[in-house]
Amino acid sequence: MGKQPEAEPGSEAEIDAWLRNGGLVVTASDRAARALALAFHRARRAEGLLAWPAPSILDWKSFVRAAWEARGKDWEADGRLLLNPTQEQSLWAEIAGADGRLATLLEGPRHRLAALAMEAHELLCGYAPQFLRPPARAAWQQDAAAFSNWLTAFDRTYRSGNLLSPARLPLELIPLLENDRLERPPLLLAGFDRILPTQRAFFDAWGSWRQAAPGATALDDLGNSAKPAAQIFFHEAADAQAELAACALWCRNQLAANPCVRLLVITQNAGSQPSRGQIERAFLQLTGPAGAPLFEFSLGIPLGQVAHARAALLLLRWLTGPLAEHELDWLFSTGLVAASSLESSALQARMRALRRRGLERPQWTLSAFIQQRTGPDPLPTSWVNRIVETQRHLADLARRPQTPLDWAELVPQLLETAGWPGPQSLSTAEFQAVRRFQQAVEAAGSLGFDGRRILWADFLSALARTLDETLFAPESQDAPIQIAGPAESAGLTADAVWFLGASEDAWPAGGSTHPLLPLDVQRGAAMPHASPQLDWDLAQAVTARLAASAPEVHFSYARQTEGIEARPSRLIVQLAGAPKELSPAPLRRQPLAVPFEDSSRIPFPPGKVQGGAAVLTSQSQCPFKAFATARLDAHGWEPAEAGLTPSQRGQLL
């Protein structure tokens, strides 16, 4: 069977033609697979078709998993359990804990070391599988020697428990594919900036394959390959804010000229680069509101930072332990633990009343919060009944250890009884977040694969780690502006590209070597960040791909970042020449006053109006402020304090 490992440069509509002929495309990431599928469907709609066969596009991990499952009876007879990341990390944590080192005595450091060991194991499987044999690691010393012992213990557990790590799946399949003479379809690879040695060996064992030309991953609406960039620009901005504003203004002008244009904004999301929040604010300010989203991030965020998942975890923690007062503030403000808006308002009013009466605490248990009296405004009876019933249900089972699967089945019951996720209808992104949280609960429940029984607190810790380690990004709504990282941009389609943060310190992106692997092993296998030359070569490949993926490509960098002078990236200077100064982007100033006709009548509240001289002070500052505070009884929210409030400190002094 012929093998074609080299790309075919200059092929017209390579990926689109391959897919239309029923070919199989393998992408480097799941995001690239979804982007190519969207581009294929968009091209078919542009042709006026009403129906067409679904394209055969799989990301690398799904492709390997499908190849393993395609073994049919042989796979069923194998009988090994394919571990998920949560299960595999728990094995590494047990092995590291059994080593008895000081760093593994506490749960947090132990699981961080387990994540590092799992990452080192994956690097060896992808770059240097020969070191999976213990004799090849005989000369390893210090931390690398400790990891070598862990790897030997992992292999022992791996075989005795009849388990299979996903990182070793390609290595298990390579000899099977080489001995299997069945005809297999040829492969077209897309979005691979770098093919790992194990991946290359797997593709060679598969049969015929080739890599798509770099520019072929960008298709226009008619399915034609994008031509290499005819225009490449390099801009210099005064600071990061000016750079962001210029990029957002450029995007707005592009959309104004052609509403069907597709734009790709690349950001490295490093510490010296603008944060996700700054990028979002800049694009919201200059692109303006719209019915459909104008931009979306392909970079995910930890699921534990998503509102619905965080609210569920805080509620589960509160059933058996205390929550900090600022956590309660956030939980009640979301409305995700209330059955109605009235309950949500009452819970927030309770927190305000606690502070106005000086009853605040650093932490609140559930029973203390319910029993605390704040005056004539009691807690909603329906909410109290639900939350007490939820706590009682958990208390009956929490007295003894249960299997993780039992805890995972209990979590949805507890949340439903407590009223999560609230009465409001879920948006598409919120529905996906709730579903992803349920999958995280199931992943934590899968820790019972070895028959262990754990306490409720241990299950909550495992669930919290799973939420923090799971990246969540809503499914793409095909927004015209895609914001991605350099690696995640492989396979994304665009008519024009803007690369943010192309400074000398940020591009090529640097990094540190892995602490559990010997330096000579990492350099010999060309692992990430093993040498500056490897970082340069990878950045050069990514830059060449971006330059060939759209007709118009812009690079920019901020001359000053956090008070530190920066220089342009030498890699980009070689490609596009010296940077040119960006003209300041005009800001869209919002009107200071917005006319509004209010025909409502607010009745005067009975009784004595509180305020005294403060009403006159507010009247002199702003008439509406006096009206809001004196007539409507509106007050600012007093934030929770970790310790004594300024008022309490003053009284003590």
Side-chain angles (χ1 to χ4, degrees):
M1 188 177 295
K3 300 176 183 178
Q4 305 175 36
E6 299 300 329
E8 288 188 3
S11 57
E12 185 72 18
E14 185 178 11
I15 293 180
D16 190 65
W18 187 277
L19 292 174
R20 295 195 69 173
N21 292 329
L24 176 59
V25 173
V26 179
T27 64
S29 65
D30 177 60
R31 186 74 185 188
R34 293 198 303 267
L36 290 181
L38 282 173
F40 181 85
H41 296 317
R42 193 165 53 245
R44 302 290 78 78
R45 288 193 298 268
E47 294 172 353
L49 298 180
L50 299 179
W52 53 87
S56 299
I57 306 175
L58 290 174
D59 64 274
W60 160 248
K61 292 183 179 179
S62 299
F63 172 67
V64 174
R65 180 73 178 260
W68 175 258
E69 295 176 352
R71 295 175 56 202
K73 295 181 180 180
D74 294 337
W75 174 70
E76 295 175 0
D78 186 279
R80 285 182 288 180
L81 173 65
L82 186 61
L83 299 171
N84 61 34
T86 303
Q87 293 169 330
E88 184 172 353
Q89 184 174 338
S90 70
L91 287 180
W92 285 108
E94 290 180 1
I95 293 170
D99 197 17
R101 293 176 178 267
L102 187 62
T104 63
L105 297 180
L106 298 177
E107 182 183 19
R110 181 169 63 251
H111 281 277
R112 284 193 288 272
L113 272 177
L116 281 175
M118 186 174 168
E119 181 183 348
H121 173 242
E122 187 173 355
L123 286 173
L124 289 180
C125 292
Y127 288 86
Q130 67 272 19
F131 288 100
L132 294 176
R133 296 181 294 105
R137 307 191 302 267
W140 289 13
Q141 299 178 357
Q142 298 180 349
D143 290 341
F147 168 70
S148 179
N149 295 333
W150 297 351
L151 184 53
T152 302
F154 180 79
D155 289 338
R156 193 181 307 116
T157 306
Y158 180 90
R159 295 186 179 91
S160 62
N162 212 18
L163 307 173
L164 182 59
S165 170
R168 298 201 185 187
L169 204 53
L171 300 174
E172 295 280 344
L173 281 169
I174 288 174
L176 299 176
L177 294 174
E178 291 174 342
N179 296 329
D180 188 1
R181 299 302 180 183
L182 294 178
E183 188 74 17
R184 286 180 287 270
L187 304 177
L188 181 66
L189 309 186
F192 283 83
D193 292 323
R194 171 171 51 187
I195 299 180
L196 307 187
T198 297
Q199 292 175 331
R200 185 174 295 275
F202 182 90
F203 293 136
D204 288 341
W206 177 271
S208 178
W209 65 276
R210 74 167 184 262
Q211 192 173 1
T217 56
L219 306 177
D220 59 20
D221 289 338
L222 298 179
N224 299 320
S225 295
K227 298 179 180 179
Q231 296 177 312
I232 300 180
F233 305 93
F234 194 13
H235 309 289
E236 179 183 88
D239 51 31
Q241 185 176 2
E243 183 187 13
L244 268 179
C247 178
L249 180 62
W250 172 79
C251 291
R252 189 183 68 180
N253 294 337
Q254 292 280 338
L255 289 174
N258 180 11
C260 297
V261 73
R262 309 194 62 76
L263 307 175
L264 178 60
V265 176
I266 307 296
T267 175
Q268 299 180 66
N269 217 25
S272 60
Q273 302 302 322
S275 66
R276 184 188 182 105
Q278 291 174 319
I279 296 174
E280 190 168 2
R281 286 192 295 272
F283 276 80
L284 284 175
Q285 179 183 8
L286 289 175
T287 58
L294 290 180
F295 66 93
E296 62 186 16
F297 290 87
S298 67
L299 297 170
I301 61 174
L303 185 59
Q305 298 179 11
V306 179
H308 285 73
R310 185 188 179 199
L313 182 62
L314 288 178
L315 180 58
L316 294 173
R317 283 176 46 202
W318 202 23
L319 296 176
T320 55
L323 287 184
E325 196 166 88
H326 68 87
E327 292 176 328
L328 282 183
D329 282 346
W330 182 88
L331 186 62
F332 292 154
S333 67
T334 61
L336 297 176
V337 293
S340 64
S341 58
L342 294 178
E343 279 190 6
S344 179
S345 300
L347 292 172
Q348 296 178 60
R350 164 60 70 95
M351 297 304 298
R352 188 178 74 171
L354 288 172
R355 299 212 180 93
R356 293 178 66 179
R357 290 170 171 79
L359 300 175
E360 60 269 17
R361 302 182 184 180
Q363 292 182 328
W364 285 93
T365 62
L366 181 57
S367 58
F369 181 78
I370 293 176
Q371 296 170 6
Q372 180 65 59
R373 303 300 178 187
T374 58
D377 298 326
L379 285 169
T381 304
S382 58
W383 181 85
V384 173
N385 293 338
R386 288 199 320 273
I387 205 72
V388 169
E389 174 62 25
T390 305
Q391 188 180 39
R392 186 182 301 114
H393 187 190
L394 175 61
D396 294 338
L397 298 173
R399 297 189 182 96
R400 56 188 181 276
Q402 306 284 343
T403 66
L405 184 59
D406 291 336
W407 291 129
E409 292 177 349
L410 179 64
V411 165
Q413 302 174 21
L414 297 175
L415 294 176
E416 182 180 2
T417 304
W420 180 88
Q424 63 274 16
S425 58
L426 299 178
S427 65
T428 302
E430 292 171 343
F431 176 79
Q432 295 174 35
V434 170
R435 184 177 60 181
R436 196 69 184 89
F437 172 78
Q438 294 168 348
Q439 294 173 354
V441 173
E442 294 173 359
S446 69
L447 291 175
F449 70 98
D450 54 359
R452 72 180 71 180
R453 290 179 175 271
I454 59 176
L455 296 172
W456 170 251
D458 297 329
F459 178 79
L460 276 187
S461 298
L463 178 58
R465 286 193 303 272
T466 303
L467 294 178
D468 290 338
E469 295 167 2
T470 301
L471 292 181
F472 171 74
E475 294 180 1
S476 174
Q477 300 184 27
D478 205 19
I481 304 174
Q482 298 285 331
I483 305 175
E488 293 80 8
S489 64
L492 298 184
T493 60
D495 297 314
V497 177
W498 188 297
F499 190 107
L500 292 167
S503 63
E504 186 179 46
D505 295 335
W507 191 250
S512 58
T513 56
H514 200 283
L516 297 182
L517 295 176
L519 184 58
D520 59 333
V521 172
Q522 298 185 58
R523 287 178 176 172
M527 293 184 184
H529 310 305
S531 68
Q533 183 62 44
L534 290 173
D535 291 340
W536 177 278
D537 294 341
L538 179 59
Q540 194 171 36
V542 173
T543 304
R545 168 174 57 78
L546 291 172
S549 62
E552 180 182 344
V553 179
H554 295 256
F555 296 91
S556 66
Y557 86 103
R559 189 170 55 249
Q560 191 174 63
T561 303
E562 298 180 355
I564 301 176
E565 293 291 333
R567 292 182 293 184
S569 169
R570 292 177 295 163
L571 180 60
I572 307 303
V573 170
Q574 292 179 6
L575 177 69
K580 297 182 179 180
E581 185 76 21
L582 270 173
S583 58
L587 296 178
R588 297 173 57 189
R589 297 188 178 278
Q590 300 295 333
L592 298 179
V594 178
F596 175 73
E597 183 178 353
D598 187 5
S599 58
S600 61
R601 295 178 180 270
I602 301 176
F604 189 83
K608 183 179 179 181
V609 177
Q610 302 293 330
V615 177
L616 299 178
T617 302
S618 299
Q619 178 72 26
S620 64
Q621 295 174 348
C622 173
F624 178 76
K625 179 179 179 181
F627 176 79
T629 55
R631 288 283 302 275
L632 303 182
D633 195 27
H635 297 278
W637 185 266
E638 299 177 15
E641 298 285 346
L644 297 174
T645 65
S647 175
Q648 292 169 335
R649 290 198 297 268
Q651 292 173 0
L652 290 175
L653 181 61

